[in-house]
């Protein structure tokens, strides 16, 4: 095998795509900054027990593991940044009030999470800690939508759900983790025939409610139907009421509902959402509420803070949106004359891109689409249109 061949689902990012990704990164982080989110940069590598605390089996299977040559302890390469940001909020910042944090950096997956996906996503996200109300849920949704708008994503579709609905139906059944996982998988994949087998022996009302969830997806009428056929438990009624409120407050964005989608059930504690777009393969954004995530870091009850957030993969996003216009550049001749060098430095200091043409390369393709040239006229260097 050739030494330069990369592993499966790992790829170099070449100049035009790298430029687009970097422009989106700056644009989206600036959008988060405009909402008051502070940027954090967690490390790629952590002790395994810290990296996987409270995250569930799914993230464990996605995490590359290795032995630390200094301590002999197991380390992990992060597969998700959210647990790290929760650790920062819980133990490093340790604030009593609301904390807004954003991040952007690579994560590594043992397996791609979608067909033709990368195992090295560039994950960007935002989190709010310290507020349990719907106001934080709405802000997170609005920020995600504003970031997609800034990236020129056309006609986003927000799909809403709430993990409390399924959790409430299963809470008194004392199921093993394996059976609970199978039920959640059947609900997420709409596998009603397998769900019938798994619910043998359940009381009739719970079984009927679980089976009805499979068909509870679509527009706002889903919530009306759910109120009629699901048990009138407080947690379920609260979830339906809050979903209706959120949908009304992000109008006129198109909204759908999927009350059976329980992906991340071991992680989310309330609102769960995904945002899709016409030209995207799969969800561009996934997020939701995960209250108490900080408490597992040292089991500090006082750090059991409410939290809500989202993340996206910029490498996936860049494939779904048009490239931003390339900033025009200036062609300049190479030379060691002080006047020329000063003129080039002055232009670059003003934010211009100045590409010096090295001797013997005058006829090569201009990758920066220079629309102006630096020319000498009467002893002065001037910028002229090409």
């Amino acid at each position: 095998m050739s030494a330069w061949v990369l592993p499966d689902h790992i790829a170099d990012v070449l100049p035009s795509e790298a430029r687009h990704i970097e422009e989106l990164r700056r644009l989206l982080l600036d959008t988060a900054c405009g909402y008051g989110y502070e940027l954090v940069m967690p490390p790629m590598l952590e002790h395994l027990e810290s990296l996987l605390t409270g995250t569930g089996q799914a993230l464990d299977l996605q995490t590359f593991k290795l032995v630390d040559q200094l301590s002999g302890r197991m380390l992990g390469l992060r597969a998700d940044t959210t647990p790290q940001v929760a650790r920062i909020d819980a133990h490093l910042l340790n604030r009593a009030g609301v904390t807004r944090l954003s991040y952007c950096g690579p994560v590594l997956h043992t397996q791609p999470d979608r067909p033709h996906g990368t195992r090295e996503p560039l994950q960007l996200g935002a989190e709010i800690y310290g507020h349990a109300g719907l106001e934080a849920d709405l802000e997170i949704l609005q920020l995600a939508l504003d970031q997609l708008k800034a990236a020129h994503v056309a006609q986003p579709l927000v799909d809403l759900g709430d993990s409390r609905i399924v959790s409430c139906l299963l809470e008194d059944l004392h199921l093993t983790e394996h059976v609970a996982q199978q039920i959640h998988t059947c609900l997420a994949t709409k596998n009603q025939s397998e769900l019938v087998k798994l619910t043998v022996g359940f009381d009739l009302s719970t079984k009927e409610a679980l089976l009805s969830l499979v068909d509870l997806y679509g527009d706002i009428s889903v919530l009306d139907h759910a109120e009629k056929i699901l048990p009138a438990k407080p947690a379920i009624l609260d979830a339906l009421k809050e979903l209706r409120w959120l949908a009304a407050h992000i109008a006129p964005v198109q909204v759908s509902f999927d009350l059976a989608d329980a992906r991340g059930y071991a992680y989310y504690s309330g609102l769960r959402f995904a945002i899709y777009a016409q030209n995207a393969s799969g969800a561009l954004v996934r997020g939701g509420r995960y209250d108490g995530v900080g408490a597992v870091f040292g089991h500090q009850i006082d750090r059991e803070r409410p939290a809500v957030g989202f993340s996206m993969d910029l490498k996936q996003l860049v494939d779904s949106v048009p490239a931003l216009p390339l900033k025009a550049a200036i062609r300049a001749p190479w030379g060691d004359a002080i006047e020329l060098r000063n003129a080039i430095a002055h232009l670059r200091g003003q934010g211009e891109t100045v590409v010096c043409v090295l001797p013997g390369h005058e006829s090569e393709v201009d990758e920066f689409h220079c629309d102006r040239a630096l020319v000498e006229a009467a002893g002065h260097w001037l910028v002229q249109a090409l």
Side-chain angles (χ1 to χ4, degrees), residues 315-335:
K315 290 182 178 179
Q316 179 189 11
L317 179 62
V318 79
D319 290 334
S320 307
V321 297
L324 300 175
L326 183 66
K327 181 181 177 181
I330 300 170
R331 287 172 63 91
W334 186 91

Side-chain angles (χ1 to χ4, degrees), residues 63-78:
T63 301
F64 282 100
K65 303 171 180 69
L66 62 156
V67 177
D68 184 1
Q69 297 299 312
L70 295 180
S71 67
R73 295 176 63 182
M74 288 298 296
L75 302 179
L77 293 169
R78 68 176 179 217

Side-chain angles (χ1 to χ4, degrees), residues 339-352 354 374:
E339 295 84 1
L340 173 60
R341 294 169 63 188
N342 286 342
I344 292 172
H346 176 71
L347 289 168
R348 287 173 175 163
Q350 292 181 318
E352 296 282 2
V354 182
L374 188 62

Side-chain angles (χ1 to χ4, degrees), residues 6 8-14 17-22 24-25 28 44 104-109 113-124 148 151 279-281 283-284 311-321:
L6 294 173
D8 290 344
H9 301 284
I10 299 291
D12 294 306
V13 180
L14 301 182
E17 184 178 2
R19 175 184 63 83
H20 193 187
I21 289 174
E22 176 60 16
L24 287 177
R25 185 191 69 84
L28 271 55
M44 276 291 297
C104 184
V107 296
L108 288 171
H109 293 167
D113 60 2
R114 63 184 184 275
H116 311 295
T118 177
R119 291 197 289 168
E120 190 186 13
L122 182 59
Q123 190 181 57
L124 181 144
L148 294 182
N279 298 324
S281 58
L284 288 177
S311 66
M312 68 180 81
D313 175 14
L314 289 188
K315 290 182 178 179
Q316 179 189 11
L317 179 62
V318 79
D319 290 334
S320 307
V321 297

Side-chain angles (χ1 to χ4, degrees), residues 361-380:
H361 297 271
E362 292 79 4
S363 61
E364 292 184 2
V365 174
D366 173 18
E367 295 292 345
F368 276 85
H369 307 295
C370 298
D371 65 348
R372 292 158 292 163
L374 188 62
V375 298
E376 187 178 18
H380 298 283

Side-chain angles (χ1 to χ4, degrees), residues 73-202:
R73 295 176 63 182
M74 288 298 296
L75 302 179
L77 293 169
R78 68 176 179 217
D80 182 17
T81 312
T82 297
Q84 296 181 296
V85 180
R87 174 181 54 76
I88 289 173
D89 172 72
H91 289 296
L92 299 182
L93 297 178
N94 202 29
R95 297 170 181 169
V98 171
T99 300
R100 294 176 171 91
L101 301 176
S102 64
Y103 60 87
C104 184
V107 296
L108 288 171
H109 293 167
T110 56
Q111 298 287 337
D113 60 2
R114 63 184 184 275
H116 311 295
T118 177
R119 291 197 289 168
E120 190 186 13
L122 182 59
Q123 190 181 57
L124 181 144
E127 326 279 340
I128 301 179
Y129 297 92
H131 186 75
L134 282 171
E135 298 86 358
D137 297 22
L138 178 59
E139 181 177 305
I140 276 292
L141 273 167
Q142 288 176 326
L143 173 56
L145 288 168
D146 278 352
Q147 287 185 329
L148 294 182
K149 181 179 179 180
H152 302 290
V153 171
Q155 297 180 320
L157 167 67
V158 178
D159 186 66
L160 296 176
D162 196 303
S163 67
R164 290 174 294 178
I165 295 174
V166 178
S167 297
C168 185
L169 294 175
L170 298 180
E171 63 183 353
D172 296 326
L173 298 180
H174 307 294
L175 302 175
T176 66
E177 177 59 29
H178 177 66
V179 173
Q181 183 178 3
Q182 286 183 302
I183 289 174
H184 282 95
T185 299
C186 288
L187 289 170
T189 58
K190 308 293 187 288
N191 189 345
Q192 194 170 52
S193 60
E194 186 63 26
L195 189 59
V196 169
K197 299 175 185 177
L198 290 170
T199 54
V200 170
F202 287 18

